Amino acid sequence: MNDTDYMARALALAARGKGQTSPNPVVGCVITNGGQIVGEGYHQRAGTPHAEVHAIKQAGERARGGTLYVTLEPCAHRGRTPPCVELIIAAGIKNVVAAVADPNPLVRGQGFTRLQKAGIEVKTGVLATAATEINQPFFTWVVHRRPWVLLKWAMTLDGKIATATGDSRWVSGPVSRNQVHRWRHEFDGILVGIGTVLADDPRLTTRLDGENGCNPVRVVVDTTARLPLTAQVLTPEAPTVVAVGEQAPADRLAALAAKGAQVVRCPVNSAGQVEIGFLLRQLARDGLTSLLVEGGARVHASFLQGGWADRAAVFIAPKIAGGAGAPGPVGGVGVARMQEAWQLRKCSLTPSGEDWLLEGVLQEVNPCLPE
């Protein structure tokens, strides 16, 4: 095995922490000595020991003189846990191989510098692309101070998300719906518009087949505070944020707060809609690093037009709904020319039961070059 193989193992370990570590990144670590893996671990939950701590503890004395592989630069500051670089130095590690630097100003470069000053050889850039992709939520949160956003919708072959009568259950099949619940388990928040709530009364919780899932924070964009007090998104099984306009009726806001919702007053744009950028910054301040957007056409358009969407995931069902009045997935004014259309890159197309899942990147954050 070589550096790439060991880092691939570290990345696989890091993936186990998805949905559990926010607002921290997911991190995996492998320690080798004499060509053998002697310790490994991953960051399991925010506030608990980091990946390096688990790996060094498992390796014990075998860590001395070994090589440590880690998917993100080791921390050099004291937060809720001690700095990992001090533990690495004390363990007698000889070499550190890291995939990418940490863009956090409290860490960036300082971890590598501290290790090098202690005589430890540092190598970076091994599987950097994969390490960047797995931590896009954390990097976006640190660099842009907003959650990383995935737009998700399901549509028919003719591009409809519902019939002309508004019926949308179900566009996609059970395999696709279960994938959405896995995403809900991994994301900090899930966002819909008030139109979706009024039409479908969703719970927006995680329901995995045979598994327990973590429920995301539920976010409803509701400019005029029309959310019914009996709506399922107000059940106590998960927190709920209701984003309203500044002119929303005070009595409605008080009633929503009495039901346990966190009401966020937002400025509105020229179209009379909640300003998405303001809302995203507020969610980031509350510690949300990732947001799954399952809104209707109007909400999707707001995210695309504002440049707030980072990735799209579209389930395409082998069905034809027809109907000139049947809704499509993106509303708003759209673009005037095809060359102005939002372009997905790094696209993939995979089967999802009877459906197909098309995924692509709208924009990325490079942690080594923060904007």
Side-chain angles (χ1 to χ4, degrees):
M1 295 178 69
N2 55 30
D3 287 352
T4 300
D5 297 322
Y6 292 128
M7 189 63 74
R9 173 59 182 167
L11 284 166
L13 290 167
R16 296 182 184 179
K18 283 186 175 181
Q20 310 297 311
T21 65
S22 184
N24 292 349
V26 293
V27 181
C29 181
V30 170
I31 299 174
T32 67
N33 205 330
Q36 300 293 321
I37 293 177
V38 296
E40 57 183 28
Y42 67 98
H43 186 36
Q44 299 174 12
R45 190 176 296 274
T48 67
H50 291 182
E52 298 95 322
V53 177
H54 290 294
I56 290 172
K57 182 178 180 180
Q58 187 180 99
E61 281 301 313
R62 294 176 297 175
R64 190 163 300 279
T67 298
L68 183 145
Y69 296 84
V70 65
T71 57
L72 188 67
E73 177 183 3
C75 63
H77 71 293
R78 179 175 291 274
R80 283 186 281 182
T81 59
C84 290
V85 291
E86 301 301 332
L87 183 62
I88 293 170
I89 294 168
I93 295 292
K94 183 179 180 181
N95 303 286
V96 168
V97 180
V100 291
D102 189 333
N104 186 338
L106 295 174
V107 180
R108 185 176 178 178
Q110 297 180 49
F112 294 149
T113 299
R114 180 70 184 90
L115 292 170
Q116 289 169 332
K117 285 182 177 180
I120 296 174
E121 184 176 341
V122 175
K123 177 180 179 180
T124 62
V126 177
L127 294 186
T129 299
T132 298
E133 290 175 351
I134 199 172
N135 265 320
Q136 278 291 297
F138 174 73
F139 296 147
T140 301
W141 183 68
V142 169
V143 175
H144 292 310
R145 306 310 301 171
R146 66 165 175 85
W148 181 80
V149 173
L150 172 66
L151 293 187
K152 167 267 165 185
W153 65 80
M155 68 181 189
T156 60
L157 284 176
D158 54 339
K160 310 296 185 182
I161 61 172
T163 66
T165 64
D167 179 52
S168 60
R169 296 195 176 183
W170 295 100
V171 174
S172 58
V175 173
S176 300
R177 297 198 297 273
N178 198 56
Q179 174 60 59
V180 173
H181 285 287
R182 286 196 292 272
W183 284 334
R184 290 182 182 182
H185 167 75
E186 295 177 0
F187 276 69
D188 295 341
I190 179 172
L191 182 146
V192 298
I194 183 60
T196 296
V197 176
L198 295 177
D200 300 333
D201 192 22
R203 288 166 58 190
L204 301 182
T205 53
T206 303
R207 300 180 296 281
L208 293 172
D209 293 342
E211 303 177 47
N212 292 321
C214 297
N215 289 324
V217 174
R218 300 172 293 192
V219 183
V220 180
V221 179
D222 182 15
T223 307
T224 56
R226 292 184 290 156
L227 181 63
L229 300 181
T230 57
Q232 292 194 94
V233 292
L234 293 175
T235 55
E237 55 197 319
T240 300
V241 173
V242 183
V244 302
E246 294 171 326
Q247 303 303 316
D251 59 333
R252 291 291 302 156
L253 305 189
L256 289 169
K259 288 288 290 184
Q262 176 189 349
V263 177
V264 177
R265 285 180 176 269
C266 304
V268 297
N269 57 26
S270 58
Q273 301 170 337
V274 162
E275 177 54 60
I276 297 298
F278 179 92
L279 173 59
L280 292 179
R281 289 188 291 273
Q282 181 60 56
L283 295 175
R285 284 194 292 270
D286 290 342
L288 272 68
T289 67
S290 58
L291 188 66
L292 176 62
V293 176
E294 294 190 35
R298 190 174 183 181
V299 169
H300 293 156
S302 294
F303 274 85
L304 287 167
Q305 289 166 355
W308 306 120
D310 299 293
R311 187 176 179 87
V314 182
F315 292 99
I316 304 169
K319 302 174 182 178
I320 299 173
V330 181
V333 297
V335 297
R337 296 179 297 174
M338 190 57 67
Q339 67 182 39
E340 299 169 347
W342 295 283
Q343 180 70 52
L344 271 64
R345 296 175 292 106
K346 298 182 179 180
C347 293
S348 65
L349 184 65
T350 56
S352 178
E354 295 182 350
D355 309 319
W356 288 89
L357 172 59
L358 174 64
E359 296 181 89
V361 172
L362 288 160
Q363 57 185 338
E364 291 179 287
V365 173
N366 184 338
C368 298
L369 297 171
E371 300 171 9

